Amino acid sequence: MAELLTIDDPDDPRLHDYTGLTDVELRRRREPEEGLFIAEGEKVIRRALQAGYGMRSMLLSAKWVDVMRDVIDEARAPVYVVDPALAERVTGYHVHRGALASMRREPLPAARDLLATARRVAVMESVNDHTNIGAIFRSAAALGMDAVLLSPDCADPLYRRSVKVSMGAVFAVPYARLDSWPHDLEAVREAGFRLLALTPAEQAVPLDEVAPHRMERVALMLGAEGEGLSARALRAADTWVRIPMAHGVDSLNVGAAAAVAFYAVTSGRPQP
């Protein structure tokens, strides 16, 4: 059982993992370098632990101690109890959910290892908005995608905002980085995947006509909000596909588009 440690100094070095959580640029550099990520809220903390991530420490307001008692009893890491006002000074924002945990990152698998067993893969290019990353992972988990591959410039799925928006779904879907973009898309094709590029372009084929759910292996390519897939990525695809639109709407938010496309790709597959 972890020891409960009450802290009343915002400059206490033991709170280092939680400092400046609203400084996106700082946290984007610091968290991977220090091998940590932040899980926010009871459900997300529990899902991170269930996924096998180790805990470095936990930061709680007093009223959350009883709620998290079973986690505390099993924890092999310090649990810091702080006043909500102090938590806000340390983190830079009001911690509405009352519970934060600093978790240890695990090494990412190689893309080739994920491709060896997957049949339905999402491939993201330059999706650098953490909210969109979280939303896409949540849809990928809910709709039965097997894995996610990220271009080198995609945002970090383990950044606090991504994890929060996904409700911990980033822990449920394995993912890997493609080191060379878009060259590594050829390795995806060589692994037996049909590369479908999601784009609103008029020359793209409607998803239902392509019938991706009947294909043996599908890699669905998604681009950044607004810009979409780059010309290089589109050239690397086997087929351009689109979601038919009505009422003069030309496109959907990438998170919404991903959910629709994932359903089309996985429809009829047994869900885990």
Side-chain angles (χ1 to χ4, degrees), residues 111-228:
R112 65 178 178 276
D113 294 335
L114 295 186
L115 293 171
T117 57
R119 288 184 53 209
R120 298 291 185 266
V121 173
V123 183
M124 293 191 231
E125 179 190 31
S126 304
V127 179
N128 50 29
D129 181 273
H130 294 101
T131 297
N132 285 334
I133 287 280
I136 292 169
F137 265 88
R138 188 171 184 180
S139 294
L143 296 168
M145 299 296 285
D146 297 320
V148 174
L149 300 179
L150 306 170
S151 69
D153 54 350
C154 278
D156 179 11
L158 293 184
Y159 181 71
R160 178 178 59 89
R161 180 66 179 164
S162 302
V163 174
K164 183 178 178 181
V165 169
S166 80
M167 289 299 294
V170 293
F171 311 136
V173 183
Y175 69 93
R177 294 269 180 187
L178 296 175
D179 296 325
S180 178
W181 184 268
H183 175 75
D184 282 349
L185 289 173
E186 186 57 36
V188 180
R189 180 182 288 107
E190 290 174 355
F193 287 81
R194 179 84 170 270
L195 293 169
L196 303 184
L198 191 64
T199 170
E202 289 185 7
Q203 61 267 47
V205 183
L207 263 171
D208 55 348
E209 292 183 19
V210 176
H213 62 288
R214 295 198 182 104
M215 297 176 181
E216 182 63 26
R217 286 186 160 182
V218 177
L220 181 71
M221 298 163 56
L222 303 161
E225 188 76 23
E227 298 177 0

Side-chain angles (χ1 to χ4, degrees), residues 44-60:
V44 172
I45 292 172
R46 292 182 184 278
R47 287 172 182 171
L49 291 169
Q50 290 166 2
Y53 289 95
M55 183 185 291
R56 290 162 59 109
S57 67
M58 191 156 50
L59 182 71
L60 302 176

